[in-house]
Amino acid sequence: SGSMDSCVMIWNMKPQMRAYRFLGHEDAVMCVQFSPSGHLVASGSRDKTVRLWIPSIKGESTVFKAHTATVRCVHFSGDGQSLVTASDDKTVKVWTVHRQKFLFSLSQHTNWVRCAKFSPDGQLIVSSSDDKTVKLWDKTSRECIHSFCEHGGSASHVDFHPSGTCIAAAGTDKTVNVWDIRMNRLLQHYQGNAVVNSLSFHPSGKYLVTASNDSTLKILDLLEGRLLYTLHGHQ
């Protein structure tokens, strides 16, 4: 977990085991993710840096510097070899984990980039921005393949369907859109009654869970294209 206290914490689920507290960032930690193998943790911060941590008692880390503003999102590729980061400097950056260095920037967004993710096969990158677009990029050619512009507000969160053929994006316009990236067409549109902050596909690909400003989670049935459950609990 990352926090406004500038620390990254690694929590142990076993009883009586203490959490590791990692110091290094100089400002709020905005995002964290374990690598697929679990041997590394990436974090992004308001201090404009990305750090790679070894999740052990020592808490050693490597600093990645290339962004010029807050880093909002970090995401490992499926093979754990690459890292993609999204920032308020309007860029998406790709890094090599093994050689621990900056590779290239994707810079066609015209406002803060909130989220960036690799496709399951690691060949594509999707990003969402306050410029109201969701962009699909080819990692090899480093070109923007398509811009999806259906959102009426900023696109706060985006993710790939486990099949890699679709993406879903959450918006401040209270909607969730699901697109087919083979035909670049809108497949499903869900209208909510509050800003949607985050979403995640079920591993089976049949469901999508969303988190929203009305304190609820919603489970969407993608096969039937309808709202299945609204989960209440958060205050």
Side-chain angles (χ1 to χ4, degrees):
S1 63
S3 159
M4 290 290 173
D5 66 6
S6 311
C7 291
V8 172
M9 298 282 284
I10 307 278
W11 306 84
N12 201 310
M13 297 305 163
K14 298 187 191 108
Q16 282 86 49
M17 288 290 286
R18 293 189 42 190
Y20 298 145
R21 184 185 196 84
F22 295 164
L23 306 170
H25 282 298
E26 291 164 18
D27 206 336
V29 180
M30 309 302 288
C31 49
V32 289
Q33 199 206 11
F34 270 106
S35 65
S37 67
H39 296 319
L40 290 169
V41 172
S43 60
S45 167
R46 215 154 51 189
D47 68 10
K48 309 174 190 175
T49 70
V50 175
R51 278 180 183 262
L52 270 189
W53 309 82
I54 298 162
S56 65
I57 201 150
K58 278 187 182 165
E60 296 167 281
S61 68
T62 310
V63 191
F64 287 8
K65 290 182 181 174
H67 282 297
T68 55
T70 296
V71 181
R72 296 255 166 211
C73 183
V74 291
H75 186 247
F76 283 97
S77 57
D79 61 7
Q81 296 299 306
S82 304
L83 189 71
V84 64
T85 57
S87 167
D88 290 2
D89 64 12
K90 308 177 190 174
T91 71
V92 172
K93 294 192 189 295
V94 177
W95 317 72
T96 158
V97 173
H98 179 60
R99 296 203 306 281
Q100 304 195 334
K101 63 179 202 157
F102 168 69
L103 289 177
F104 59 89
S105 277
L106 304 171
S107 44
Q108 286 185 28
H109 281 296
T110 56
N111 208 330
W112 293 4
V113 188
R114 295 276 174 181
C115 185
K117 301 277 180 75
F118 278 109
S119 59
D121 66 5
Q123 295 305 301
L124 301 171
I125 292 166
V126 69
S127 59
S128 64
S129 164
D130 283 8
D131 66 10
K132 303 183 181 177
T133 70
V134 170
K135 292 189 187 293
L136 192 66
W137 312 82
D138 183 298
K139 181 176 179 261
T140 310
S141 70
R142 306 178 187 182
E143 297 289 321
C144 178
I145 303 168
H146 193 78
S147 287
F148 300 91
C149 308
E150 279 86 350
H151 280 287
S154 63
S156 50
H157 196 94
V158 67
D159 206 358
F160 274 95
H161 187 273
S163 69
T165 60
C166 306
I167 54 169
T172 57
D173 61 356
K174 308 177 183 177
T175 67
V176 170
N177 286 328
V178 181
W179 291 282
D180 183 315
I181 60 168
R182 293 164 299 184
M183 276 98 77
N184 295 331
R185 68 188 181 96
L186 186 65
L187 287 180
Q188 293 179 350
H189 171 86
Y190 298 92
Q191 180 66 53
N193 48 15
V195 169
V196 186
N197 298 310
S198 183
L199 51 78
S200 176
F201 282 101
H202 187 274
S204 71
K206 294 175 184 174
Y207 307 100
L208 187 68
V209 62
T210 66
S212 121
N213 268 6
D214 62 6
S215 314
T216 69
L217 304 184
K218 288 184 164 48
I219 310 277
L220 305 173
D221 184 324
L222 298 174
L223 299 183
E224 296 197 7
R226 67 184 179 96
L227 174 65
L228 196 60
Y229 304 117
T230 300
L231 305 180
H232 300 271
H234 285 295
Q235 303 301 314

